[in-house]
Amino acid sequence: MPSTLLITGGAGFIGSSLVRLALKEKHTVVVLDSLTYAGSLENLAEVLNDITFVQGDINDASLVEGLLAEHKPQAILNLAAETHVDNSIHAAEPFIETNIRGTYTLLEAARCFHANLKGKALERFRFIQVSTDEVFGDAAEGECFSETSPYRPSSPYSASKAAADHLVMAWHRTYGLPAIITHCSNNYGPRQHAEKLIPTIVRSALAGKPIPIYGDGKQVRDWLYVDDHSRGLLACVKDGVPGTRYCFGGKTESTNIDLATNICSLLDGIKPQKTGKPYSSLIKHVTDRLGHDRRYAIDPTHAQYSLNWKPTTNLTAGLKHTIRHMLAG
């Protein structure tokens, strides 16, 4: 059933994917985004006239309260976050401010809003906290993260997301806020910020510059196409159970070095270097990231059965689409 959604961070990479998909499903969309370096109206250019866009900070309590009172959303989906691990290592304060304090501000506004709802509106309301698999730390060989995995964050970024998750579950248990937490594996796709791994590989290769790979490159990541993730979030709006966590994964594990090599091979076929050399010749190993987790992997079984969700985009097809989008842009 179409409804009104408040999407924070909706001008970011995942947020803008979610906005476009929500519009296709006939939802009314309100976006709150402070448009920091990671968010851009260009990500929403083709749909900007179809949404209500508000530039503002999730820490602005009066602004958030006003948006809830005016638009009366069925769900708040919190995607507003500082997300880049390297940035969190060099300067953690923005991650504390946005990811922890910002989530608290949203929770308080949602609690007061929910307390005044009645009837169907009360039953349907959801607060969906979009978290990450990084709160679980390293996955041992053969282990997959699930909804019952313990929290073991390694970086300031993942620690800030873990803290926010704990606040969300506390507001659910203490105040009865109908909250849901989602955990996803590494997203990729069009419009991802240039600082992330896959855009860095593609941009460096096309510029003929060294392609930086941390350490030995054998860190393992599970890759999830961004639109598949967005479908999962909308499934939570429709069928998610308050107090529950859902894990969304692509079931596509790859080492970083293999990923870089595969992207280089795809680029060789799409836009070969003028030098005639393979792009893989540009790969360069650099000093590893501090506290770098070796492996992430998600078991999405619970989401598949309870939300009727599964990833539909395989890694090769998703990478090809991502590369062509970057070339066109």
Side-chain angles (χ1 to χ4, degrees), residues 31 38 41 43 83 85 92 97 101 108-109 150 159 164 181 308:
V31 170
L41 286 181
N43 291 335
T83 65
V85 175
E97 187 67 18
R101 185 162 189 82
E108 275 295 273
I181 295 176
N308 193 29

Side-chain angles (χ1 to χ4, degrees), residues 82 162 191 215 244 263-264 297 326:
E82 294 285 345
R191 302 176 184 86
T244 302
I263 291 173
C264 287
M326 290 183 69

Side-chain angles (χ1 to χ4, degrees), residues 105-124:
T105 303
L106 286 175
L107 286 168
E108 275 295 273
R111 178 178 68 84
C112 296
F113 174 72
H114 175 255
N116 291 307
L117 294 177
K118 301 184 185 304
K120 290 291 185 182
L122 178 65
E123 294 175 16
R124 296 178 64 199

Side-chain angles (χ1 to χ4, degrees), residues 18-19 21 40 102 124 140 155 165 188 198 218 239 264-265 267 278 281 288 291 302 309:
L18 178 62
V19 168
L21 190 61
S40 172
R124 296 178 64 199
S155 67
D165 290 356
Y188 73 101
I198 289 176
K218 293 183 179 179
D239 297 317
C264 287
S265 179
L267 283 170
S281 64
D288 205 354
H302 178 59
W309 172 92

Side-chain angles (χ1 to χ4, degrees), residues 192-227:
Q192 190 166 27
H193 194 274
E195 68 192 1
K196 300 296 186 174
L197 178 59
I198 289 176
T200 295
I201 294 171
V202 176
R203 282 186 304 103
S204 299
L206 292 174
K209 296 180 179 179
I211 299 170
I213 298 296
Y214 281 132
D216 61 10
K218 293 183 179 179
Q219 304 89 353
V220 176
R221 298 294 182 262
D222 173 25
W223 292 95
L224 175 65
Y225 193 66
V226 64
D227 290 349

Side-chain angles (χ1 to χ4, degrees), residues 8-19:
T8 69
F13 166 50
I14 300 174
S16 60
S17 165
L18 178 62
V19 168

